[in-house]
């Protein structure tokens, strides 16, 4: 957990830096990280990007109601979309929940219209984020 916590703060830390921070051998850090990668706990390494600075200033939360037999197929298609950041299979009024980022309303409109065109999609409900209070892709492992 300590290694994961350090990597979450800075994935560019070297094995040597992690070993020094934790007071263990470099080989120990290497072996533990390798095990975390092989077991799928660490899926990859990616920078945390400010999408708004890249022109994706519109975030939408989209509930999707779909016919039962089509849900998995629809989820896969949505997940392949470049705008969908998160796709969840959920309980409740909607079957699928999507968090997506867009450049503007027209970009969002195209996406929602595309969603509605998918075979098996019955309806969508889109909420636009007015202000981001917290947007953190990392879960604290120290609490």
């Amino acid at each position: 957990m300590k290694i994961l916590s350090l990597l979450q703060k800075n994935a560019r830390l070297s094995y040597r830096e992690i070993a020094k921070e934790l007071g263990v051998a470099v080989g120990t850090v290497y072996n533990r990280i390798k095990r975390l990668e092989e077991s799928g706990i660490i899926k990859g390494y990616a920078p945390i990007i400010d999408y708004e600075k890249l022109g994706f200033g519109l975030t939408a939360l989209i509930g999707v109601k779909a016919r039962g037999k089509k849900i998995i197929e629809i989820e896969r298609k949505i997940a392949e979309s470049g705008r969908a950041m998160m796709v969840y299979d959920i309980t409740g009024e909607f079957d699928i929940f999507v968090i997506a980022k867009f450049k503007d309303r027209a970009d969002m409109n195209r996406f929602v219209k595309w969603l509605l065109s998918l075979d098996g999609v019955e309806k969508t409900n889109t909420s636009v984020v007015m202000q981001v209070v917290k947007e953190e892709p990392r879960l604290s492992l120290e609490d």
Side-chain angles (χ1 to χ4, degrees), residues 111-125:
F111 181 82
V112 173
K113 295 275 190 323
W114 170 77
L115 271 179
L116 289 166
S117 76
L118 295 176
D119 186 34
V121 171
E122 295 178 357
K123 75 175 188 173
T124 64
N125 183 303

Side-chain angles (χ1 to χ4, degrees), residues 12 24 50 57 62 88 93 100 104 119:
R12 297 180 71 182
V24 298
D50 185 335
I62 307 167
Y88 299 104
E93 180 183 350
D104 52 33
D119 186 34

Side-chain angles (χ1 to χ4, degrees), residues 66-74 76 95 119-120 122:
R67 287 194 290 279
K69 294 181 179 180
K70 295 282 189 175
I71 292 174
I72 294 171
E73 179 184 334
I74 292 166
R76 286 186 183 136
D95 304 298
D119 186 34
E122 295 178 357

